[in-house]
Amino acid sequence: MNNFTIIGAGQAGLQLGMGLLQAGHKVRVVTNRTAEEVATGKILSSQCMFDTALSYERDLGLNYWDESCPKVNGIGLTIDNPDPSALINWAARLDAPAQSVDQRVKMPRWMARFEELGGELVICDAGIEELETYAAESDLVLVASGKGEVGKLFERDAERSAFDRPMRALGLTYVNGMRQDDDYSKVGFNIAPGVGEYFSFPALTTTGPCDIMVFEGVPGGEMDCWGEVDSPEAHLQMSKDILARHFPLEAARCEQVELTDDNGILAGRFPPTIKKPVARLPSGALVMGIGDTVCLNDPITGQGSNNASKASRVYLDAIVARAGGEFDEDWMNATFESFWDIAQYIVQWTNSLLLPPPDHALAIYALANDDRETAERFANGFDDARAYFPWFMDAEAAQEWVASRSR
Ligand SMILES: Cc1cc2nc3c(=O)[nH]c(=O)nc-3n(C[C@H](O)[C@H](O)[C@H](O)COP(=O)(O)OP(=O)(O)OC[C@H]3O[C@@H](n4cnc5c(N)ncnc54)[C@H](O)[C@@H]3O)c2cc1C
C-alpha cells in the first residue's frame, strides 16, 4: 500500500483518488472548496464528456447520472452563408452518447463517495508550505489544481504550447426553455468565420435537465463583449444578442430561454498551455501535475474534462504497475509521456480550430453535407481525436479523402 496526496477535487483529482482507493492505497485529497461551496457556487465548465472518458468513470462505478442526465447523441456543424449553395449544415450520430453533468452536481457527490471509500478529504488552500509537508508525508504528491495559482509551480513547455495568449473570450450560459432538436440531441456547433463559435447541448444541472450555451469569441472581435455585462440578466440578454447578430439559425431556438439560476453564467479567458509534468519544491522534493494543471486546452472542442479522465486512467494504470517501486522523476516523466501519446492529438486538433479554418478543412465540412461517412467520422473524433489524423488534419490527406469520397 502506498500513500498519496492529491491537490484538487475536480475531475482529475477525484477520479484518480477514487481509483487509487479502490486499488488499495491510502489517499488524501486536499481542496480549497467544500462540497457545499461547490454545489452552491458558480458554474465552471460545460463539461461535455464522450464515451471513452465516461467509460473510465463507469469502470470505477462513478457513473451516477446515466439515467438522469440527458444524452447527447450527435454532433452538428453549421457555417451560415447568404448563398444557400455554400451553406454548411449537417449532423451525425455519435457511436455512443456523450453527457454533461454540471460539476456543481458531480463533484460534491464524488467528494462524498471519496470519503465513503475511506479517503481523507482536507479543506485547505494549499501553497508551497503545505506541499512541502505533504511531500514529506507521502510517496507521491499529485497537483490537480486546474487553473489554480499553485499550478504556477510547473514550468510552461514552450515547445508543446502553440499559443502564449488567450485565443478566445469565453462565455457560458445555462438555460431552460431552448427548443429541442427534432431528430436527436446533439452538440450543435456553429462557426461565424472571423468572429467566433457558438455551441449548445443538453446537460444536467442543479435544478434538473437544461441546455448549455457556449460562446467562443475571437479576442477583440464582436463576440469579445462580456466585459460590459454586470448582472445575470445582462448576461442572458448578451447571450441572446450574440445569437441574433451572428447565429440567426440558433436565435430562433432560444427565444424563450431563461437562466437555470443566477450562478449559471461564466465569462473569462486563458491561454491554452502545456506544462512540464514535474515541479521541484524548494526542499528539492518533486511533485507531479495532472489535468488542466499541466494540459490546459481552450474549450472549443470540449476536451478538458475528457483529458482529465484519460489522464487519471493513464496515471492510475502506471501507479498500479509500479507496485512496490519508487515514484521518481523518470517514472513521472514516462507516465506523462504515456498520457501525451493520447493528448498530443487532442491538443493539436483543438489548437487547429482556434485558427481560421484552412481550405482543406472547409472542403471536408462541405463534403459532410452530402456524405454521411465523412460526417460520422468527424463527429466521432470528439471521442478520440487520433481519428482526425491524417485525413482531416493534413492538407494532402484531406484532399485525397475528399477526392476519394467524390468519385
Ligand atoms: C468555459 C469552459 C467550458 C468547458 N467545456 C468543457 C466541455 O464541454 N468538455 C470538457 O471535457 N471540458 C470542458 N472544459 C474544461 C474542463 O472544465 C476542465 O478541463 C476540467 O474541469 C479540468 O479538471 P481538473 O480536475 O484538471 O481541474 P478543475 O476541475 O479545475 O479542478 C481543480 C480543483 O483544484 C482545486 N484547487 C485549486 N487550487 C487549489 C489549491 N491551491 N489548494 C487546494 N485545492 C485547489 C479546485 O477547487 C478544484 O477542486 C471547459 C472549460 C471552460 C472554462
Side-chain angles (χ1 to χ4, degrees):
M1 180 167 86
N2 286 113
N3 180 357
F4 298 94
T5 299
I6 301 174
I7 312 300
Q11 179 76 36
L14 284 172
Q15 187 182 320
L16 179 56
M18 286 187 278
L20 290 171
L21 286 172
Q22 292 182 24
H25 296 289
K26 192 165 176 235
V27 188
R28 163 170 54 196
V29 164
V30 180
T31 188
N32 57 6
R33 297 169 75 213
T34 64
E36 173 73 12
E37 284 166 345
V38 174
T40 58
K42 235 178 163 173
I43 55 166
L44 300 163
S45 178
S46 61
Q47 72 270 311
C48 187
M49 292 179 66
F50 297 88
D51 190 55
T52 301
L54 293 172
S55 75
Y56 299 148
E57 299 183 354
R58 287 196 291 271
D59 288 347
L60 298 174
L62 303 176
N63 52 320
Y64 299 117
W65 301 276
D66 286 356
E67 299 307 317
S68 54
C69 183
K71 290 184 176 34
V72 178
N73 288 310
I75 303 282
L77 177 71
T78 304
I79 308 180
D80 204 358
N81 198 302
D83 170 7
S85 69
L87 170 74
I88 291 173
N89 188 323
W90 52 263
R93 281 187 183 271
L94 290 163
D95 292 340
Q99 65 170 225
S100 165
V101 178
D102 186 344
Q103 293 182 351
R104 297 178 301 175
V105 173
K106 184 177 194 174
M107 298 313 157
R109 178 71 183 86
W110 277 15
M111 285 159 91
R113 180 64 184 149
F114 173 76
E115 289 191 295
E116 281 163 25
L117 289 169
E120 182 192 359
L121 191 67
V122 176
I123 304 300
C124 166
D125 188 41
I128 304 290
E129 204 179 310
E130 288 78 14
L131 286 183
E132 291 281 19
T133 306
Y134 300 138
E137 292 173 356
S138 317
D139 297 317
L140 176 63
V141 173
L142 292 140
V143 181
S145 58
K147 297 191 279 298
E149 281 288 306
V150 72
K152 287 193 173 147
L153 259 177
F154 294 85
E155 185 193 338
R156 177 174 182 272
D157 187 330
E159 262 174 47
R160 290 178 171 176
S161 301
F163 308 112
D164 58 6
R165 59 186 189 284
M167 296 301 288
R168 290 292 184 272
L170 306 169
L172 277 184
T173 315
Y174 280 31
V175 296
N176 291 128
M178 190 183 291
R179 201 181 71 217
Q180 297 302 302
D181 288 313
D182 299 333
D183 42 5
Y184 53 92
S185 62
K186 53 185 86 75
V187 179
F189 196 84
N190 299 263
I191 303 177
V195 179
E197 299 80 18
Y198 162 75
F199 50 101
S200 69
F201 48 87
L204 181 71
T205 186
T206 50
T207 52
C210 71
D211 283 279
I212 299 182
M213 307 166 82
V214 187
F215 299 90
E216 295 255 338
V218 172
E222 287 179 46
M223 276 175 72
D224 183 356
C225 51
W226 300 102
E228 57 206 70
V229 167
D230 58 3
S231 68
E233 296 72 32
H235 187 102
L236 178 65
Q237 191 54 50
M238 183 60 84
S239 305
K240 290 181 172 179
D241 291 349
I242 292 173
L243 295 192
R245 245 179 283 141
H246 304 292
F247 305 100
L249 297 174
E250 292 291 328
R253 292 178 65 198
C254 294
E255 278 163 6
Q256 309 294 328
V257 297
E258 297 292 344
L259 290 179
T260 55
D261 62 291
D262 281 355
N263 280 329
I265 58 171
L266 180 76
R269 68 185 73 209
F270 56 83
T273 308
I274 310 302
K275 293 195 170 173
K276 302 271 172 69
V278 183
R280 191 174 290 279
L281 300 176
S283 66
L286 300 177
V287 296
M288 184 179 183
I290 183 171
D292 273 8
T293 302
V294 286
C295 184
L296 181 62
N297 274 292
D298 187 278
I300 192 161
T301 52
Q303 294 292 310
S305 295
N306 292 273
N307 276 345
S309 171
K310 291 173 183 177
S312 294
R313 176 59 169 253
V314 168
Y315 285 37
L316 176 61
D317 288 349
I319 289 170
V320 169
R322 192 70 170 177
E326 210 190 317
F327 302 103
D328 56 17
E329 189 166 6
D330 286 347
W331 176 87
M332 292 181 189
N333 280 313
T335 299
F336 185 76
E337 288 310 302
S338 301
F339 167 63
W340 188 246
D341 283 347
I342 305 166
Q344 61 180 301
Y345 298 100
I346 299 165
V347 170
Q348 226 179 300
W349 166 59
T350 300
N351 288 343
S352 78
L353 294 200
L354 294 167
L355 298 171
D359 287 346
H360 68 265
L362 289 171
I364 286 187
Y365 295 152
L367 172 66
N369 266 337
D370 305 310
D371 185 46
R372 180 130 307 275
E373 187 179 331
T374 298
E376 283 173 359
R377 225 177 140 115
F378 185 85
N380 283 289
F382 278 77
D383 181 46
D384 184 350
R386 285 174 290 192
Y388 293 119
F389 292 77
W391 74 282
F392 177 75
M393 291 297 294
D394 176 71
E396 211 174 302
Q399 280 155 10
E400 273 168 31
W401 175 263
V402 173
S404 73
R405 298 301 299 169
S406 311
R407 263 177 221 138

